[in-house]
């Protein structure tokens, strides 16, 4: 599809809050992008499990590079919700995001992908997970996005 047509179609899309039912019964929502900009879609990037599944570890930098190339080609910013421990283990992929030509948002996704719905997870542990993630990611200003691990709000 010609690039001018893609840009034209993207400009026509209006996005607001709209619940989306998933097959597993959980819900997600679409909200306007920061600054009131229109968003064409919500991209969820699994930047949290590759080292639990060694056969998939190579996919993290490849997938990151592919998404960054598309984002730069079409000037589409992405909000990346990143676990702190993965940013440490896969520094190359994380650095690619930070040095992109597009101004991406770095969101918090806990340090170790801790499930806050787990009854053994205390408020103190949850806060420590969030603070450690912010420290590791080097987020200077107050983060504006947080994604609960597995989207399990608690």
């Amino acid at each position: 599809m010609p690039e001018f047509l893609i840009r034209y179609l993207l400009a026509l899309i209006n996005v607001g809050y709209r619940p989306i039912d998933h097959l597993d019964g959980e819900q997600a929502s679409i909200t306007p992008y920061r600054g009131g900009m229109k968003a064409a879609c919500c991209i969820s990037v699994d930047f949290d499990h590759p080292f639990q599944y060694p056969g998939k570890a190579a996919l993290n930098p490849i997938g990151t590079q592919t998404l960054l190339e598309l984002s730069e080609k079409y000037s589409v910013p992405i909000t990346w919700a990143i676990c702190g421990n993965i940013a440490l283990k896969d520094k190359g992929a994380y650095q690619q995001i930070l040095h992109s030509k597009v101004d991406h948002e770095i969101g918090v996704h806990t340090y170790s992908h801790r499930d806050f719905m787990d009854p053994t997870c205390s408020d103190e542990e949850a806060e420590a997970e969030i603070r450690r993630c912010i420290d590791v990611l080097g987020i200077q200003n107050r983060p504006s996005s947080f994604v609960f691990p597995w989207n399990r709000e608690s």
Side-chain angles (χ1 to χ4, degrees):
M1 182 178 292
E3 197 163 322
F4 76 91
L5 188 55
I6 292 170
R7 289 188 188 283
Y8 173 76
L9 292 172
L10 289 176
L12 295 177
I13 296 172
N14 287 318
V15 176
Y17 178 81
R18 183 170 49 95
I20 301 170
D21 290 318
H22 291 280
L23 296 176
D24 60 5
E26 294 183 15
Q27 285 195 343
S29 63
I30 298 174
T31 56
Y33 188 72
R34 62 185 168 172
M37 300 296 292
K38 294 178 182 176
C41 63
C42 175
I43 299 173
S44 175
V45 180
D46 191 349
F47 205 100
D48 50 27
H49 290 300
F51 296 97
Q52 290 178 351
Y53 306 100
K56 295 183 179 183
L59 297 177
N60 204 50
I62 294 168
T64 299
Q65 182 62 41
T66 301
L67 286 172
L68 287 171
E69 287 172 2
L70 287 169
S71 136
E72 290 173 1
K73 179 177 180 179
Y74 296 105
S75 299
V76 176
I78 297 173
T79 298
W80 297 80
I82 302 173
C83 286
N85 66 348
I86 300 305
L88 287 175
K89 291 178 182 175
D90 197 345
K91 291 179 183 175
Y94 185 52
Q95 289 300 313
Q96 286 178 327
I97 296 166
L98 295 179
H99 294 100
S100 173
K101 296 174 187 172
V102 174
D103 183 25
H104 298 287
E105 178 183 6
I106 304 299
V108 177
H109 196 44
T110 73
Y111 176 77
S112 66
H113 210 257
R114 180 69 161 108
D115 185 355
F116 290 170
M117 291 291 287
D118 181 341
T120 66
C121 182
S122 67
D123 290 348
E124 293 76 19
E125 182 183 4
E127 183 176 343
E129 280 276 327
I130 293 168
R131 287 186 186 278
R132 188 171 181 196
C133 183
I134 291 169
D135 289 344
V136 166
L137 296 178
I139 299 172
Q140 300 300 313
N141 300 319
R142 181 181 175 143
S144 58
S145 292
F146 176 81
V147 176
F148 285 92
W150 296 286
N151 292 318
R152 295 181 187 159
E153 296 180 21
S154 178

